[in-house]
């Protein structure tokens, strides 16, 4: 292992302070940031994704943001391919890849590889969307539970994107995602890893941060951003993958008059809390992580010390 080049994972739930910590680490260490965030890949989606602002990106450039328009789809397999290429390029430059984000499936795909999953099929997805429109996603989740109980147990009954994908995989292959992942070959990541996991010592404080941040997004112009998106990309709708990002679906509902202003805020905050809960569940299941309290006043000093010790080993 000591002969492998180093790489660092900086993981954590939304609003845990990952970006601020990463930017500070880059200022004092030979690191380059690779974003591990399925929302930051989209162009023109800045406020609702909490994308780093231009001055931050000038100080600490991020790879793998602003890659595609919100009408397209970016898969975990594509992320793995892009991340491996960038990691090799960064290492060749004599620097260390710092992979930062909260999309835990991307971290898992990068470290462990992916099963041989089929490409998305527009016809199958359209049929599943039509069925969901008729009976609702909780009923689709119940259907998935009858086919693939292990996958269904990991998903919320309202997690339309992942429920759809699991049903799509079964429809296309006749096999469950659980079975396909069980057969996947171990694809060893050729790096010596330090995996830092930011977790809150007090979940209520994280919830307060989430609420404050969503209100700030509203004040910064989230509504105007989504209005501009649907004008620029008329094909966007609530079930488009990009619009399933937390905050965007709720803003579309508000624009459509399905919810009022108060409900817009409440539902946006609730959806973000649910996202944080899922991220923390993923983190608890990851092996060999070094947990740091994201609320600790000396977080940056502790993280810097751990990184320096790792790099000196």
């Amino acid at each position: 292992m000591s002969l492998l080049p180093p790489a660092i994972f900086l993981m954590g739930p939304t609003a845990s302070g990952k970006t601020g910590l990463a930017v500070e680490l880059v200022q004092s260490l030979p690191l380059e940031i690779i974003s591990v965030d399925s929302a930051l890949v989209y162009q023109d989606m800045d406020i609702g994704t909490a994308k780093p602002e231009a001055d931050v990106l000038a100080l600490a450039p991020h790879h793998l943001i602003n890659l595609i328009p919100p009408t397209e789809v970016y898969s975990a397999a594509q992320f793995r391919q892009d991340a491996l290429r960038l990691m090799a390029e960064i290492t060749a430059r004599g620097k260390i890849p710092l992979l930062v984000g909260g999309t835990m499936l991307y971290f898992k795909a990068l470290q462990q590889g992916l099963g041989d999953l089929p490409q998305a099929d527009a016809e199958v997805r359209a049929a599943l969307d039509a069925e969901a429109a008729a009976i609702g996603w909780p009923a689709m989740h119940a259907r998935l539970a009858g086919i693939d109980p292990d996958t269904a147990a990991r998903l919320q009954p309202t997690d339309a994107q992942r429920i759809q994908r699991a049903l799509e995989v079964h429809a296309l292959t006749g096999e469950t995602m659980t079975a396909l992942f069980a057969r996947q070959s171990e694809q060893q990541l050729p790096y010596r890893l330090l995996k830092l996991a930011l977790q809150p010592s007090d979940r209520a404080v994280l919830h307060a941060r989430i609420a404050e941040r969503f209100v700030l997004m509203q004040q910064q112009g989230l509504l105007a951003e989504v209005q501009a998106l649907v004008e620029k990309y008329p094909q966007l709708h609530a079930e488009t993958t990009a619009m399933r990002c937390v905050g965007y679906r709720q803003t579309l509902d508000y624009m459509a008059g399905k919810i009022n202003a108060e409900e817009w805020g409440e539902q946006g905050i609730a959806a973000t809390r649910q996202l944080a809960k899922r991220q923390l569940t993923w983190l608890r299941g990851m092996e060999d992580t070094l947990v740091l309290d994201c609320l600790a006043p000396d977080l940056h000093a502790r993280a810097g010390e751990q990184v320096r010790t790792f790099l000196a080993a």
Side-chain angles (χ1 to χ4, degrees):
M1 284 293 292
S2 62
L3 297 178
L4 295 175
I8 301 165
F9 287 2
L10 178 54
M11 307 172 288
T14 186
S16 60
K18 299 181 295 294
T19 298
L21 175 54
V23 170
E24 181 166 311
L25 289 172
V26 166
Q27 302 313 299
S28 58
L29 294 164
L31 310 174
E32 282 192 43
I33 296 172
I34 299 175
S35 170
V36 187
D37 191 306
S38 60
L40 295 188
V41 300
Y42 295 114
Q43 301 157 358
D44 302 314
M45 292 173 58
D46 301 330
I47 296 172
T49 62
K51 191 174 291 177
E53 296 184 356
D55 58 339
V56 174
L57 294 176
L59 192 65
H62 286 48
H63 297 286
L64 299 186
I65 68 171
N66 295 322
L67 298 181
I68 58 173
T71 51
E72 296 181 11
V73 176
Y74 188 76
S75 67
Q78 184 63 55
F79 165 80
R80 188 174 198 272
Q81 178 180 328
D82 290 342
L84 286 172
R85 171 181 53 80
L86 286 165
M87 292 173 76
E89 293 172 358
I90 291 168
T91 299
R93 287 194 287 270
K95 293 192 172 184
I96 297 104
L98 173 61
L99 294 105
V100 183
T103 301
M104 303 306 166
L105 176 61
Y106 284 9
F107 281 114
K108 182 177 185 292
L110 180 59
Q111 187 174 8
Q112 299 179 10
L114 286 166
D116 188 17
L117 299 180
Q119 294 292 317
D121 186 291
E123 187 174 338
V124 171
R125 289 196 168 190
L128 290 169
D129 282 338
E131 186 175 357
I135 66 174
W137 284 108
M140 299 292 280
H141 181 266
R143 179 180 153 198
L144 176 63
I147 297 169
D148 186 355
D150 289 339
T151 296
R154 293 189 291 102
L155 304 179
Q156 295 291 323
T158 53
D159 193 346
Q161 180 178 354
R162 291 177 176 84
I163 295 168
Q164 181 195 61
R165 179 57 174 158
L167 290 171
E168 177 190 33
V169 166
H170 183 260
L172 291 171
T173 67
E175 296 189 77
T176 65
M177 290 189 74
T178 299
L180 289 172
F181 280 129
R183 286 209 315 269
Q184 74 182 35
S185 60
E186 281 295 320
Q187 299 174 343
Q188 183 67 40
L189 185 66
Y191 290 85
R192 180 171 63 93
L193 290 177
L194 171 64
K195 298 195 290 186
L196 300 177
L198 303 188
Q199 297 187 33
S201 53
D202 186 342
R203 190 79 65 90
V205 177
L206 183 67
H207 287 176
R209 281 189 183 181
I210 287 170
E212 291 168 5
R213 191 166 75 167
F214 193 80
V215 171
L216 180 60
M217 288 176 178
Q218 290 176 306
Q219 294 170 348
Q220 290 174 330
L222 177 58
L223 177 60
E225 177 172 273
V226 179
Q227 289 171 332
L229 282 170
V230 297
E231 289 177 11
K232 185 173 182 178
Y233 308 99
Q235 60 271 57
L236 289 179
H237 56 82
E239 297 306 321
T240 304
T241 299
M243 293 297 98
R244 291 173 179 168
C245 295
V246 294
Y248 287 88
R249 183 197 294 268
Q250 293 77 22
T251 305
L252 285 176
D253 285 346
Y254 175 59
M255 288 166 55
K258 295 180 180 179
I259 56 177
N260 60 35
E262 182 178 356
E263 292 168 329
W264 173 36
E266 291 173 349
Q267 292 184 20
I269 292 167
T272 311
R273 286 181 177 178
Q274 284 297 315
L275 170 62
K277 181 179 179 181
R278 292 194 299 272
Q279 291 168 318
L280 287 167
T281 299
W282 270 91
L283 278 175
R284 284 195 295 271
M286 295 188 78
E287 297 179 348
D288 303 321
T289 59
L290 178 63
V291 176
L292 298 173
D293 179 10
C294 66
L295 307 179
D298 60 347
L299 168 64
H300 288 204
R302 287 189 180 185
E305 180 182 352
Q306 292 294 337
V307 171
R308 289 179 176 86
T309 299
F310 168 72
L311 296 180

